Amino acid sequence: MSAAPIDNVLAQLHKVRQRQLGQWSACCPAHDDKGPSLSVRETAEGAVLLHCFAGCSVADILSALGMEMSGLFPPRQLSGREPKRTPRLLTAGQAVELLDRETQLLAVVAANMLRGVEINQNDLDRIAKAAGRINWLRSQSTGGTYA
Ligand SMILES: [Zn+2]
């Protein structure tokens, strides 16, 4: 597949509706979804963020779509420039990618909260995980590793 990740994902979803630029809602393929529970976002880098407000994991959604996690990211991000120095655990590109993914997730949840969408325990757990990862990534990058 040579199309952008967002096109591949949207092509396989039902009841896709664009909410705003780079943001769609659709029926979640991982559970018996009556209304559109799935939030789909495209990041500035062309990566796709999926979030089911009924609580399905991204892994569940991907397996329902028959896709791999790598299918959510444009190929160029996987073969990016080599970092100047060897980072401890992640490449700079991976750190940015992960940070971007987590902040996008928080942005989606925040937007839904502002619209009055009920946040369930699964969302809260995911938010806590995202916040933890962001803090960890920040601590990793403060040592000048990615200078
Ligand atoms: Zn779902």
PDB file of all heavy atoms in Angstrom, residues 44-69:
ATOM      1  N   ALA A  44       0.583  16.005  12.226  1.00  0.00           N
ATOM      2  CA  ALA A  44       1.263  16.822  11.207  1.00  0.00           C
ATOM      3  C   ALA A  44       2.281  15.993  10.431  1.00  0.00           C
ATOM      4  O   ALA A  44       2.582  16.287   9.277  1.00  0.00           O
ATOM      5  CB  ALA A  44       1.948  18.012  11.869  1.00  0.00           C
ATOM      6  N   GLU A  45       2.800  14.940  11.051  1.00  0.00           N
ATOM      7  CA  GLU A  45       3.807  14.097  10.399  1.00  0.00           C
ATOM      8  C   GLU A  45       3.182  13.001   9.545  1.00  0.00           C
ATOM      9  O   GLU A  45       3.893  12.187   8.956  1.00  0.00           O
ATOM     10  CB  GLU A  45       4.727  13.458  11.444  1.00  0.00           C
ATOM     11  CG  GLU A  45       5.667  14.431  12.133  1.00  0.00           C
ATOM     12  CD  GLU A  45       4.920  15.302  13.142  1.00  0.00           C
ATOM     13  OE1 GLU A  45       3.929  14.835  13.720  1.00  0.00           O
ATOM     14  OE2 GLU A  45       5.318  16.463  13.327  1.00  0.00           O
ATOM     15  N   GLY A  46       1.840  12.938   9.538  1.00  0.00           N
ATOM     16  CA  GLY A  46       1.189  11.923   8.724  1.00  0.00           C
ATOM     17  C   GLY A  46       0.923  10.620   9.446  1.00  0.00           C
ATOM     18  O   GLY A  46       0.499   9.640   8.833  1.00  0.00           O
ATOM     19  N   ALA A  47       1.173  10.573  10.752  1.00  0.00           N
ATOM     20  CA  ALA A  47       0.867   9.382  11.537  1.00  0.00           C
ATOM     21  C   ALA A  47      -0.614   9.409  11.929  1.00  0.00           C
ATOM     22  O   ALA A  47      -1.224  10.471  11.997  1.00  0.00           O
ATOM     23  CB  ALA A  47       1.737   9.323  12.787  1.00  0.00           C
ATOM     24  N   VAL A  48      -1.160   8.241  12.179  1.00  0.00           N
ATOM     25  CA  VAL A  48      -2.583   8.128  12.523  1.00  0.00           C
ATOM     26  C   VAL A  48      -2.729   7.753  13.988  1.00  0.00           C
ATOM     27  O   VAL A  48      -2.052   6.854  14.482  1.00  0.00           O
ATOM     28  CB  VAL A  48      -3.264   7.047  11.649  1.00  0.00           C
ATOM     29  CG1 VAL A  48      -4.719   6.856  12.075  1.00  0.00           C
ATOM     30  CG2 VAL A  48      -3.186   7.443  10.188  1.00  0.00           C
ATOM     31  N   LEU A  49      -3.623   8.471  14.676  1.00  0.00           N
ATOM     32  CA  LEU A  49      -3.931   8.144  16.063  1.00  0.00           C
ATOM     33  C   LEU A  49      -5.349   7.633  16.130  1.00  0.00           C
ATOM     34  O   LEU A  49      -6.268   8.264  15.627  1.00  0.00           O
ATOM     35  CB  LEU A  49      -3.796   9.389  16.942  1.00  0.00           C
ATOM     36  CG  LEU A  49      -4.095   9.093  18.407  1.00  0.00           C
ATOM     37  CD1 LEU A  49      -2.843   8.669  19.124  1.00  0.00           C
ATOM     38  CD2 LEU A  49      -4.733  10.278  19.079  1.00  0.00           C
ATOM     39  N   LEU A  50      -5.521   6.463  16.753  1.00  0.00           N
ATOM     40  CA  LEU A  50      -6.840   5.868  16.921  1.00  0.00           C
ATOM     41  C   LEU A  50      -7.189   5.851  18.394  1.00  0.00           C
ATOM     42  O   LEU A  50      -6.348   5.535  19.236  1.00  0.00           O
ATOM     43  CB  LEU A  50      -6.834   4.426  16.406  1.00  0.00           C
ATOM     44  CG  LEU A  50      -6.509   4.231  14.923  1.00  0.00           C
ATOM     45  CD1 LEU A  50      -6.296   2.754  14.633  1.00  0.00           C
ATOM     46  CD2 LEU A  50      -7.617   4.798  14.053  1.00  0.00           C
ATOM     47  N   HIS A  51      -8.453   6.198  18.703  1.00  0.00           N
ATOM     48  CA  HIS A  51      -8.877   6.088  20.094  1.00  0.00           C
ATOM     49  C   HIS A  51     -10.347   5.726  20.154  1.00  0.00           C
ATOM     50  O   HIS A  51     -11.191   6.456  19.654  1.00  0.00           O
ATOM     51  CB  HIS A  51      -8.629   7.397  20.850  1.00  0.00           C
ATOM     52  CG  HIS A  51      -8.994   7.270  22.300  1.00  0.00           C
ATOM     53  ND1 HIS A  51      -8.247   6.521  23.179  1.00  0.00           N
ATOM     54  CD2 HIS A  51     -10.050   7.731  22.999  1.00  0.00           C
ATOM     55  CE1 HIS A  51      -8.825   6.557  24.366  1.00  0.00           C
ATOM     56  NE2 HIS A  51      -9.922   7.283  24.279  1.00  0.00           N
ATOM     57  N   CYS A  52     -10.651   4.575  20.769  1.00  0.00           N
ATOM     58  CA  CYS A  52     -12.040   4.140  20.923  1.00  0.00           C
ATOM     59  C   CYS A  52     -12.531   4.542  22.306  1.00  0.00           C
ATOM     60  O   CYS A  52     -11.952   4.144  23.308  1.00  0.00           O
ATOM     61  CB  CYS A  52     -12.148   2.623  20.754  1.00  0.00           C
ATOM     62  SG  CYS A  52     -13.805   2.016  21.137  1.00  0.00           S
ATOM     63  N   PHE A  53     -13.610   5.326  22.341  1.00  0.00           N
ATOM     64  CA  PHE A  53     -14.123   5.790  23.624  1.00  0.00           C
ATOM     65  C   PHE A  53     -14.956   4.729  24.339  1.00  0.00           C
ATOM     66  O   PHE A  53     -15.395   4.935  25.459  1.00  0.00           O
ATOM     67  CB  PHE A  53     -14.879   7.109  23.456  1.00  0.00           C
ATOM     68  CG  PHE A  53     -13.931   8.254  23.343  1.00  0.00           C
ATOM     69  CD1 PHE A  53     -13.489   8.679  22.103  1.00  0.00           C
ATOM     70  CD2 PHE A  53     -13.407   8.853  24.475  1.00  0.00           C
ATOM     71  CE1 PHE A  53     -12.561   9.707  21.993  1.00  0.00           C
ATOM     72  CE2 PHE A  53     -12.478   9.874  24.379  1.00  0.00           C
ATOM     73  CZ  PHE A  53     -12.056  10.304  23.137  1.00  0.00           C
ATOM     74  N   ALA A  54     -15.154   3.594  23.692  1.00  0.00           N
ATOM     75  CA  ALA A  54     -15.790   2.472  24.379  1.00  0.00           C
ATOM     76  C   ALA A  54     -14.733   1.635  25.101  1.00  0.00           C
ATOM     77  O   ALA A  54     -15.061   0.727  25.849  1.00  0.00           O
ATOM     78  CB  ALA A  54     -16.565   1.613  23.392  1.00  0.00           C
ATOM     79  N   GLY A  55     -13.470   1.925  24.864  1.00  0.00           N
ATOM     80  CA  GLY A  55     -12.410   1.273  25.617  1.00  0.00           C
ATOM     81  C   GLY A  55     -11.573   0.261  24.859  1.00  0.00           C
ATOM     82  O   GLY A  55     -10.737  -0.406  25.459  1.00  0.00           O
ATOM     83  N   CYS A  56     -11.788   0.106  23.564  1.00  0.00           N
ATOM     84  CA  CYS A  56     -10.962  -0.841  22.807  1.00  0.00           C
ATOM     85  C   CYS A  56      -9.522  -0.311  22.728  1.00  0.00           C
ATOM     86  O   CYS A  56      -9.314   0.895  22.614  1.00  0.00           O
ATOM     87  CB  CYS A  56     -11.497  -1.028  21.393  1.00  0.00           C
ATOM     88  SG  CYS A  56     -13.176  -1.658  21.357  1.00  0.00           S
ATOM     89  N   SER A  57      -8.580  -1.236  22.792  1.00  0.00           N
ATOM     90  CA  SER A  57      -7.182  -0.817  22.669  1.00  0.00           C
ATOM     91  C   SER A  57      -6.843  -0.614  21.200  1.00  0.00           C
ATOM     92  O   SER A  57      -7.530  -1.131  20.311  1.00  0.00           O
ATOM     93  CB  SER A  57      -6.258  -1.875  23.271  1.00  0.00           C
ATOM     94  OG  SER A  57      -6.277  -3.023  22.459  1.00  0.00           O
ATOM     95  N   VAL A  58      -5.777   0.131  20.958  1.00  0.00           N
ATOM     96  CA  VAL A  58      -5.328   0.340  19.583  1.00  0.00           C
ATOM     97  C   VAL A  58      -4.981  -1.007  18.948  1.00  0.00           C
ATOM     98  O   VAL A  58      -5.264  -1.243  17.776  1.00  0.00           O
ATOM     99  CB  VAL A  58      -4.117   1.301  19.543  1.00  0.00           C
ATOM    100  CG1 VAL A  58      -3.526   1.374  18.139  1.00  0.00           C
ATOM    101  CG2 VAL A  58      -4.556   2.691  19.987  1.00  0.00           C
ATOM    102  N   ALA A  59      -4.419  -1.915  19.760  1.00  0.00           N
ATOM    103  CA  ALA A  59      -4.069  -3.244  19.238  1.00  0.00           C
ATOM    104  C   ALA A  59      -5.320  -3.984  18.772  1.00  0.00           C
ATOM    105  O   ALA A  59      -5.309  -4.644  17.725  1.00  0.00           O
ATOM    106  CB  ALA A  59      -3.345  -4.051  20.316  1.00  0.00           C
ATOM    107  N   ASP A  60      -6.423  -3.878  19.540  1.00  0.00           N
ATOM    108  CA  ASP A  60      -7.683  -4.518  19.147  1.00  0.00           C
ATOM    109  C   ASP A  60      -8.190  -3.943  17.832  1.00  0.00           C
ATOM    110  O   ASP A  60      -8.651  -4.662  16.951  1.00  0.00           O
ATOM    111  CB  ASP A  60      -8.764  -4.291  20.218  1.00  0.00           C
ATOM    112  CG  ASP A  60      -8.491  -5.074  21.486  1.00  0.00           C
ATOM    113  OD1 ASP A  60      -7.734  -6.061  21.411  1.00  0.00           O
ATOM    114  OD2 ASP A  60      -9.024  -4.694  22.543  1.00  0.00           O
ATOM    115  N   ILE A  61      -8.135  -2.616  17.735  1.00  0.00           N
ATOM    116  CA  ILE A  61      -8.636  -1.941  16.536  1.00  0.00           C
ATOM    117  C   ILE A  61      -7.800  -2.346  15.325  1.00  0.00           C
ATOM    118  O   ILE A  61      -8.327  -2.666  14.266  1.00  0.00           O
ATOM    119  CB  ILE A  61      -8.615  -0.410  16.732  1.00  0.00           C
ATOM    120  CG1 ILE A  61      -9.578  -0.014  17.859  1.00  0.00           C
ATOM    121  CG2 ILE A  61      -9.004   0.299  15.444  1.00  0.00           C
ATOM    122  CD1 ILE A  61      -9.374   1.404  18.379  1.00  0.00           C
ATOM    123  N   LEU A  62      -6.488  -2.360  15.514  1.00  0.00           N
ATOM    124  CA  LEU A  62      -5.600  -2.721  14.404  1.00  0.00           C
ATOM    125  C   LEU A  62      -5.827  -4.157  13.957  1.00  0.00           C
ATOM    126  O   LEU A  62      -5.860  -4.437  12.758  1.00  0.00           O
ATOM    127  CB  LEU A  62      -4.135  -2.527  14.820  1.00  0.00           C
ATOM    128  CG  LEU A  62      -3.671  -1.077  14.886  1.00  0.00           C
ATOM    129  CD1 LEU A  62      -2.268  -1.010  15.468  1.00  0.00           C
ATOM    130  CD2 LEU A  62      -3.704  -0.423  13.519  1.00  0.00           C
ATOM    131  N   SER A  63      -6.017  -5.068  14.913  1.00  0.00           N
ATOM    132  CA  SER A  63      -6.208  -6.460  14.522  1.00  0.00           C
ATOM    133  C   SER A  63      -7.550  -6.620  13.810  1.00  0.00           C
ATOM    134  O   SER A  63      -7.672  -7.413  12.878  1.00  0.00           O
ATOM    135  CB  SER A  63      -6.064  -7.400  15.720  1.00  0.00           C
ATOM    136  OG  SER A  63      -7.256  -7.483  16.441  1.00  0.00           O
ATOM    137  N   ALA A  64      -8.571  -5.826  14.220  1.00  0.00           N
ATOM    138  CA  ALA A  64      -9.865  -5.866  13.524  1.00  0.00           C
ATOM    139  C   ALA A  64      -9.725  -5.357  12.089  1.00  0.00           C
ATOM    140  O   ALA A  64     -10.452  -5.778  11.195  1.00  0.00           O
ATOM    141  CB  ALA A  64     -10.900  -5.044  14.290  1.00  0.00           C
ATOM    142  N   LEU A  65      -8.786  -4.452  11.899  1.00  0.00           N
ATOM    143  CA  LEU A  65      -8.557  -3.893  10.560  1.00  0.00           C
ATOM    144  C   LEU A  65      -7.562  -4.735   9.761  1.00  0.00           C
ATOM    145  O   LEU A  65      -7.355  -4.496   8.578  1.00  0.00           O
ATOM    146  CB  LEU A  65      -8.009  -2.462  10.668  1.00  0.00           C
ATOM    147  CG  LEU A  65      -8.958  -1.392  11.214  1.00  0.00           C
ATOM    148  CD1 LEU A  65      -8.224  -0.074  11.375  1.00  0.00           C
ATOM    149  CD2 LEU A  65     -10.162  -1.214  10.307  1.00  0.00           C
ATOM    150  N   GLY A  66      -6.927  -5.692  10.441  1.00  0.00           N
ATOM    151  CA  GLY A  66      -5.895  -6.482   9.784  1.00  0.00           C
ATOM    152  C   GLY A  66      -4.650  -5.669   9.489  1.00  0.00           C
ATOM    153  O   GLY A  66      -3.976  -5.871   8.483  1.00  0.00           O
ATOM    154  N   MET A  67      -4.351  -4.711  10.392  1.00  0.00           N
ATOM    155  CA  MET A  67      -3.193  -3.841  10.185  1.00  0.00           C
ATOM    156  C   MET A  67      -2.169  -4.013  11.299  1.00  0.00           C
ATOM    157  O   MET A  67      -2.497  -4.453  12.396  1.00  0.00           O
ATOM    158  CB  MET A  67      -3.632  -2.366  10.157  1.00  0.00           C
ATOM    159  CG  MET A  67      -4.451  -1.993   8.941  1.00  0.00           C
ATOM    160  SD  MET A  67      -4.941  -0.250   9.006  1.00  0.00           S
ATOM    161  CE  MET A  67      -3.339   0.557   8.797  1.00  0.00           C
ATOM    162  N   GLU A  68      -0.936  -3.637  10.979  1.00  0.00           N
ATOM    163  CA  GLU A  68       0.126  -3.622  11.977  1.00  0.00           C
ATOM    164  C   GLU A  68       0.258  -2.202  12.517  1.00  0.00           C
ATOM    165  O   GLU A  68      -0.157  -1.243  11.869  1.00  0.00           O
ATOM    166  CB  GLU A  68       1.471  -4.017  11.344  1.00  0.00           C
ATOM    167  CG  GLU A  68       1.493  -5.387  10.707  1.00  0.00           C
ATOM    168  CD  GLU A  68       1.538  -6.499  11.745  1.00  0.00           C
ATOM    169  OE1 GLU A  68       2.072  -6.259  12.837  1.00  0.00           O
ATOM    170  OE2 GLU A  68       1.014  -7.590  11.464  1.00  0.00           O
ATOM    171  N   MET A  69       0.871  -2.082  13.703  1.00  0.00           N
ATOM    172  CA  MET A  69       1.115  -0.762  14.287  1.00  0.00           C
ATOM    173  C   MET A  69       1.901   0.130  13.319  1.00  0.00           C
ATOM    174  O   MET A  69       1.661   1.335  13.235  1.00  0.00           O
ATOM    175  CB  MET A  69       1.884  -0.922  15.602  1.00  0.00           C
ATOM    176  CG  MET A  69       2.017   0.341  16.411  1.00  0.00           C
ATOM    177  SD  MET A  69       0.433   0.952  17.076  1.00  0.00           S
ATOM    178  CE  MET A  69       0.312   0.042  18.616  1.00  0.00           C
TER     179      MET A  69
END
